[in-house]
Amino acid sequence: MNNLNLIIDDDPINNTFCKFIITKVGLEGNFQSFTNPEEGLQFVTTLLSEKSYSKVILFLDINMPVMNGWDFLKELEKIYKNDPEFNIYILSSSISEQDKSQADANKLVRNFISKPLSAPILEKIKNEIY
């Protein structure tokens, strides 16, 4: 089984940058991104039911149209079985203390990361997870 690095963010430029920095740092695994959070949720739902990856790192934006990151997490909670190999990080440009507190309080979220994603942050994540 492979590892997967997953980005759900409505900004395709950010997704491309994330792929670049993930590849540069050498974070193990395949890469998948979604600009539509509903499609991303459908993908994650299938992923969790099939257990087709050994480790998943999901970078989730908060501020997206149609379904924001908090709505995404509420839907995910309905199917999520507390899999320790499935790691969710909020990746956001939000500077709101409320967003940071909400991320800290959410049992599905490992950490809140301010955009842009950086090599030092990815190195830290790599050391935590692998």
Side-chain angles (χ1 to χ4, degrees):
M1 285 198 290
N2 291 327
N3 298 324
L4 176 66
N5 301 298
L6 181 61
I7 308 289
I8 299 177
D9 189 328
D10 62 314
D11 181 356
I13 294 170
N14 180 67
N15 295 352
T16 300
F17 176 76
C18 286
K19 182 177 183 178
F20 170 79
I21 200 81
I22 285 169
T23 303
K24 182 180 176 186
V25 168
L27 203 58
E28 295 178 33
N30 296 329
F31 181 87
Q32 181 75 42
S33 67
F34 292 92
T35 54
N36 179 323
E38 291 172 323
E39 290 175 7
L41 182 62
Q42 197 169 31
F43 179 83
V44 168
T45 301
T46 302
L47 187 73
L48 288 171
S49 68
E50 293 177 354
K51 297 250 184 221
S52 54
Y53 288 89
S54 29
K55 289 193 187 289
V56 176
I57 300 174
L58 166 59
F59 296 100
L60 177 65
D61 189 23
I62 296 173
N63 299 312
M64 298 181 282
V66 183
M67 172 185 272
N68 67 31
W70 305 125
D71 294 334
F72 180 96
L73 289 171
K74 282 180 195 166
E75 289 300 312
L76 187 59
E77 284 176 348
K78 296 175 183 177
I79 57 155
Y80 187 76
K81 303 292 185 248
N82 197 19
D83 183 348
E85 303 304 327
F86 195 87
N87 304 280
I88 301 171
Y89 293 86
I90 297 294
L91 179 62
S92 179
S93 58
S94 172
I95 57 170
S96 163
E97 285 303 318
Q98 182 179 354
D99 283 337
K100 291 176 184 177
S101 295
Q102 193 170 350
D104 288 343
N106 190 302
K107 65 182 180 193
L108 301 182
V109 176
R110 285 186 67 115
N111 208 345
F112 183 99
I113 302 168
S114 295
K115 287 182 181 178
L117 192 58
S118 67
I121 293 289
L122 280 175
E123 288 291 348
K124 184 178 176 189
I125 290 169
K126 188 175 173 182
N127 291 336
E128 288 174 0
I129 293 177
Y130 296 106

